[in-house]
Amino acid sequence: MKPKFVVARLLVAAAFVALPAASWAQGPSLLRFCSTGSPKTFDPANSDSGVDHRATDQIFSQLVEYKRGTDELTPALAERWTVSPDGLQYTFDLRRSVAFQTTEDFKPTRELNADDVLFTFGRLLNRDSAFGKALPIVSPYVVSYGWEKLIAKVEKLSPTQVRFTLAQRDAAFLSALTGSFASIQSAEYGAQLLKSGKPERIAMAPVGTGPFQLKSFRVDSQLRLVKHPGWFRAAERPRVDTLVFAVTPDGNVRAQRLKRDECDIADPVAPADLAELRKDPAIKVSTSPGMNIGYLAFNTKHPVLGKVEVRQALDMAIDKATLVKTVFGDAGVLAQTLMPAANWANDPSIKGNAYNPEKARELLKKAGATGKGGLSISLWSMPVIRNYNPNSKLIAQLIQSDWAKVGVTANIVTYEWGEYLRRVDKGEHDTVLLGWNGDTEPANTAGQLGCGSASGTFWCNADYEKLLAEARAGLTREARKAAYAKALRLATQQLPWSPLAHGAISVPHRASVKGFVLSLDSSLYFDGVLPR
């Protein structure tokens, strides 16, 4: 389970102003993004929140990245890499002349080098490092990917070359390096923060190598980023001078602001709002198949929910087909397993439980969960809209109604998004609606149910862990797919998650926006994007 986020609460004077297009087209260029929430930290290593990563993905870069809109790995801060024949050593040659951002807090005296890679991965892997002791973190992705055991050594071969040595072969390692959590941070900045006794500033005043840098931030109002003049890809991709995140939690309000030309791009909105936006010729909706999963997680530390028969009963008591049709319409498909249908590791022969309230009652009775007054549990509902869950309140109400038919009382609970995640990590819920935006690498999705991962389940199964390790070490895609199929069957039988749906990725924006490309994992990048 990941720790509490380091929360950046920087209150500055700047507030979002909805500017008519003509007024800003004549001056410095501006791109306006209506976001679903405020980032709780600017430290990508210490978060698995999509809201946080929306912001930090604009500020930081990784060693490798995916070519936009594809599953093709391409160089980023590493201009090339080699892999040893046994698959245990990865050697990266760093790009030269990469500048870190200059901020009010930090004036870099050198360009990117191997020390920055060692500092970044030292924070992730070594809790006994100087910075790790001063500001302890446990990155949720390091846990779910098993990196503390997998990565045996990270060493500096020269100022521009680093080598990772793995304890065992892992076919998913390169793709994992594209994650936001693996963003490269400045060792020089870290040393400055340590010397000043303010290591927590790394989460408040970020310093990266990405296309934009932080200018100002008002919690629950506005995040303002400006062009990083020393960005290493400045000659390749155009950028606006200023990128504004206008925090707009209500999906309907986001849709209306988009229609009124108060934002250029918006976070996902509800299907009904999306349908209305499609009718507007000034609006375009970019879509792609979703590499995601929306699910209901069972807290297996709960004395009743720890019984697999109870989880199976609650799963088959949900009329998922009706739920998906009602909530998603054409924007989602029923999930059979946790693996997205579009992923190469998905096995269509594996089916989830069919809707069967009669059998659900029998299983509940067998498990002793139908005592006086019946079973009463909490059902937590997300306060945000996601492609994999466009209307959490309605989903919770439908589940509540279905469970009532089998004698289970569900008490719906919700919190502000950051508080929601914090409390889930502490295990305060009984059942909780959550989701995951994955990519084409199946290890990233399957690993969300690994021991210690932030899945909302606290489930840890040794057989599942062995199957994940077998899949990662597979020499061929066929061998890996066979191991994942076994893991998916086990998860389908044990049901720490009740898979609900895979949502299509739909991002509405003004039709005049140029250069916007959807990523397969639903990440949004704003370099190369112009308002018109």
Side-chain angles (χ1 to χ4, degrees):
M1 182 176 68
K2 65 181 183 300
K4 292 184 283 187
F5 297 155
V6 179
V7 181
R9 295 292 184 183
L10 310 179
L11 299 180
V12 294
F16 178 79
V17 179
L19 299 175
S23 69
W24 56 260
Q26 298 169 1
S29 55
L30 170 70
L31 186 69
R32 306 156 301 169
F33 172 57
C34 282
S35 65
T36 191
S38 280
K40 301 306 177 186
T41 177
F42 291 105
D43 180 7
N46 197 27
S47 173
D48 64 352
S49 166
V51 173
D52 296 343
H53 293 163
R54 282 278 195 270
T56 59
D57 282 346
Q58 320 312 319
I59 298 171
F60 293 93
S61 309
Q62 298 79 38
L63 292 174
V64 296
E65 64 185 19
Y66 283 115
K67 184 178 180 181
R68 299 287 162 79
T70 77
D71 61 355
E72 178 187 345
L73 286 170
T74 187
L77 294 180
E79 61 183 359
R80 69 181 67 85
W81 61 87
T82 58
V83 183
S84 62
D86 61 5
L88 296 180
Q89 290 189 326
Y90 290 73
T91 303
F92 295 90
D93 293 310
L94 302 182
R95 190 182 298 269
R96 298 171 188 271
S97 302
V98 173
F100 280 100
Q101 295 149 7
T102 296
T103 69
E104 291 183 4
D105 286 55
F106 177 65
K107 306 296 187 288
T109 65
R110 61 167 177 79
E111 297 171 337
L112 171 83
N113 67 29
D115 292 333
D116 302 307
V117 179
L118 266 60
F119 169 71
T120 297
F121 286 89
R123 287 192 68 209
L124 292 171
L125 302 171
N126 183 9
R127 300 174 200 178
D128 293 326
S129 66
F131 205 94
K133 289 179 178 179
L135 187 70
I137 65 168
V138 180
S139 174
Y141 293 103
V142 168
V143 174
S144 62
Y145 293 158
W147 271 12
E148 288 183 319
K149 294 181 179 178
L150 175 69
I151 300 177
K153 183 167 54 175
V154 184
E155 55 188 325
K156 172 182 175 180
L157 302 183
S158 78
T160 58
Q161 191 175 64
V162 293
R163 176 179 292 160
F164 290 75
T165 301
L166 307 187
Q168 61 187 40
R169 179 185 167 87
D170 189 335
F173 181 64
L174 276 176
S175 93
L177 290 177
T178 68
S180 302
F181 78 105
S183 297
I184 302 302
Q185 303 201 37
S186 167
E188 187 181 17
Y189 183 43
Q192 175 182 303
L193 294 176
L194 271 183
K195 185 176 181 180
S196 66
K198 299 178 181 179
E200 70 280 359
R201 293 287 294 169
I202 203 168
M204 302 176 181
V207 171
T209 60
F212 297 95
Q213 62 189 73
L214 179 64
K215 177 66 174 178
S216 62
F217 176 45
R218 174 175 283 181
V219 176
D220 297 329
S221 176
Q222 182 202 87
L223 168 67
R224 183 176 288 266
L225 305 173
V226 295
K227 181 189 295 187
H228 170 209
W231 185 43
F232 64 93
R233 284 202 167 116
E236 302 172 29
R237 298 177 189 166
R239 288 167 295 158
V240 292
D241 296 297
T242 303
L243 170 62
V244 171
F245 282 43
V247 180
T248 314
D250 187 285
N252 180 259
V253 175
R254 286 199 297 278
Q256 294 306 312
R257 295 186 83 166
L258 194 63
K259 287 177 69 69
R260 294 196 299 265
D261 196 16
E262 293 177 4
C263 55
D264 301 297
I265 304 173
D267 254 331
V269 299
D273 292 321
L274 199 63
E276 286 301 310
L277 289 175
R278 290 183 190 275
K279 299 175 184 178
D280 189 333
I283 304 296
K284 180 179 178 181
V285 179
S286 293
T287 62
S288 71
M291 287 285 183
N292 56 48
I293 173 67
Y295 59 84
L296 177 73
F298 299 107
N299 185 344
T300 60
K301 294 196 297 186
H302 186 285
V304 177
L305 298 177
K307 299 178 180 179
V308 66
E309 297 88 356
V310 174
R311 299 196 298 271
Q312 290 171 341
L314 294 175
D315 176 70
M316 66 180 62
I318 302 171
D319 185 353
K320 296 181 183 179
T322 297
L323 183 154
V324 172
K325 182 178 180 180
T326 302
V327 177
F328 290 82
D330 296 330
V333 296
L334 177 65
Q336 298 294 339
T337 71
L338 61 93
M339 194 63 66
N343 194 289
W344 62 260
N346 179 60
D347 186 337
S349 70
I350 304 174
K351 303 294 184 183
N353 291 319
Y355 175 53
N356 192 333
E358 292 79 14
K359 187 174 180 181
R361 293 189 195 96
E362 293 175 8
L363 286 173
L364 289 170
K365 184 177 181 180
K366 179 182 177 182
T370 56
K372 187 176 181 180
L375 178 62
S376 179
I377 54 178
S378 65
L379 170 57
W380 288 31
S381 171
M382 296 166 52
V384 294
I385 291 174
R386 293 289 184 268
N387 293 303
Y388 54 70
N389 188 334
N391 192 332
S392 186
K393 181 178 179 180
L394 179 55
I395 288 180
Q397 291 171 339
L398 291 171
I399 293 174
Q400 181 185 51
S401 176
D402 285 340
W403 281 354
K405 296 171 186 175
V406 297
V408 175
T409 300
N411 305 299
I412 297 176
V413 175
T414 193
Y415 294 96
E416 179 273 331
W417 185 228
E419 185 69 8
Y420 187 91
L421 294 175
R422 187 184 70 81
R423 289 174 178 265
V424 168
D425 289 343
K426 292 173 65 177
E428 295 181 11
H429 61 290
D430 296 331
T431 66
V432 59
L433 290 167
L434 286 170
W436 166 255
N437 286 310
D439 53 38
T440 55
E441 173 47 60
N444 300 342
T445 295
Q448 296 310 301
L449 277 178
C451 293
S453 63
S455 65
T457 70
F458 303 97
W459 184 69
C460 182
N461 185 287
D463 291 333
Y464 188 81
E465 291 290 300
K466 290 178 182 177
L467 289 169
L468 291 189
E470 181 183 333
R472 291 192 185 101
L475 296 176
T476 65
R477 176 169 284 194
E478 291 73 18
R480 298 185 69 206
K481 185 172 183 177
Y484 280 123
K486 293 177 183 177
L488 293 175
R489 290 186 190 280
L490 178 58
T492 302
Q493 189 275 327
Q494 289 289 315
L495 284 172
W497 283 354
S498 177
L500 299 176
H502 307 296
I505 301 174
S506 299
V507 176
H509 53 84
R510 301 291 298 179
S512 57
V513 168
K514 306 299 181 185
F516 179 68
V517 179
L518 269 178
S519 297
L520 296 180
D521 65 354
S522 81
S523 297
L524 300 184
Y525 299 93
F526 298 113
D527 56 277
V529 182
L530 299 175
R532 61 202 66 228

